[in-house]
Amino acid sequence: MSQTPETPQPRQPGVRYRKVTRYREETTVIDGRPSTRRVPYLAYVPVPPCDWDEIIRRGVTGVAIVVTVLAAAGTTASIGGLLSRMLHPAVAYAVGVVFTSSWLACLGVEHIERVDAKRAQRARAGGWVALLISMGSVITYGDQLHQLPAGVVGSCLDLLAKGLWFLVMGLDRVNLDPGVAHWVTQEEQALAGRFLLGTRLARLNRRAAAMRAVETPEFRAAEAILNEAGQARQIAAPDTSGQAAEVSGQAVQTPPEPPVPPVPPPSGQGPSLSKTVTGQPPAPPAPVPPAAPVPPAAPVGAGAPTGQATPPPAPQAGGAHPIGQSIAATVRDLLDKNPAWAVDAPLEEAEMEAMTDAVRQAHGDRKGLQETTRRTRDRELKKRRKTA
């Protein structure tokens, strides 16, 4: 039941209340026109009990912070006085902060890795090693001043600070079931794998963009090799839409055999009891003169009608080039076969277009092919001038 000025909420014994100001809407209607305003009123709301656990946690955390600052100051002064004999005092006292900071950082890593016991164990071991080094340094400084008891007492400051932080962080430490811990680790690995893959792809894309911008010869050669490899895979890919027979791992078109007319039986033997079965080889006919050699059948997908030999493909401009040949090798062949293109002078636009078309037929079209052909030709002519 809500509390209003007309119906105040009854108070419960033993519960503390505090007075607050609330607002309610009040509407006034004059001549059929309403007007609404907010009217304040006082109400009493229950006050939740004190969370002593949270208060104690905050108090202990504050004490740990103060103890850590004092311990760091004492350790820094001791180690700085010890190292000031061979270093500048400012540098010596600055280095003294490293000892306390080391075991404090290991303690933080141990708290973060509390789910994985193995990783937390490494941070815990490193923290104790750093603490022992820090305590030993303070004891050594006390011994140098012939105040060994003071050095031992001063070295315990870091030990007390680490112990307090160990207890404070232990308040959030929960021993997970092995199944829950494995689930958490698996999710972390999946997220870390996505992040790592995304970072590496971004780095590779930036590197590729930089190499594409400067147009290095190595990048152009690698791009050409990849393009030719992709074209080779497309050419070698079998077309499963046609009828083919698998022979030694290659698809070969099998032309149908012409039907063989039935042979009449010899006189006196009666009618023949054998008949031709579709799909079975007929009886071996009489020997015939050898026929002309038949060219090999075209690969599947060549588009030749069944039972007819496929004509050989038309030669490409500039000569046939095997798969995998580079653009430089193609340009060299074109220069050898076309002396007009090998003159030591820039080609005219029509000749350059013809040479580019020849390279395009051999390697396919790509971005900037004419410029690539022009640079390759100039580089090849420069080599020939040097060797002449």
Side-chain angles (χ1 to χ4, degrees), residues 265-271:
S267 58
Q269 294 184 1

Side-chain angles (χ1 to χ4, degrees), residues 52-73:
W52 289 105
D53 291 344
E54 184 64 23
I55 294 175
I56 294 174
R57 178 194 292 266
R58 293 180 180 179
V60 172
T61 304
V63 171
I65 293 175
V66 173
V67 172
T68 303
V69 171
L70 296 177

Side-chain angles (χ1 to χ4, degrees), residues 66-93:
V66 173
V67 172
T68 303
V69 171
L70 296 177
T75 304
T76 302
S78 300
I79 299 177
L82 180 64
L83 297 179
S84 61
R85 300 180 180 181
M86 60 180 181
L87 298 175
H88 190 274
V91 178
Y93 286 101

Side-chain angles (χ1 to χ4, degrees), residues 72 75-76 79 91-105 130 134:
T75 304
T76 302
I79 299 177
V91 178
Y93 286 101
V95 171
V97 183
V98 175
F99 291 83
T100 302
S101 302
S102 299
W103 64 258
L104 195 60
S134 177

Side-chain angles (χ1 to χ4, degrees), residues 301-328:
T306 306
Q308 298 182 5
T310 304
Q316 301 176 350
H321 301 282
I323 296 176
Q325 186 175 359
S326 63
I327 294 180

Side-chain angles (χ1 to χ4, degrees), residues 156-167:
C156 293
L157 293 175
D158 281 353
L159 180 62
L160 293 175
K162 181 176 175 61
L164 284 176
W165 280 114
F166 182 79
L167 294 177

Side-chain angles (χ1 to χ4, degrees), residues 39 189 296 327 388:
V39 180
Q189 291 176 355
I327 294 180

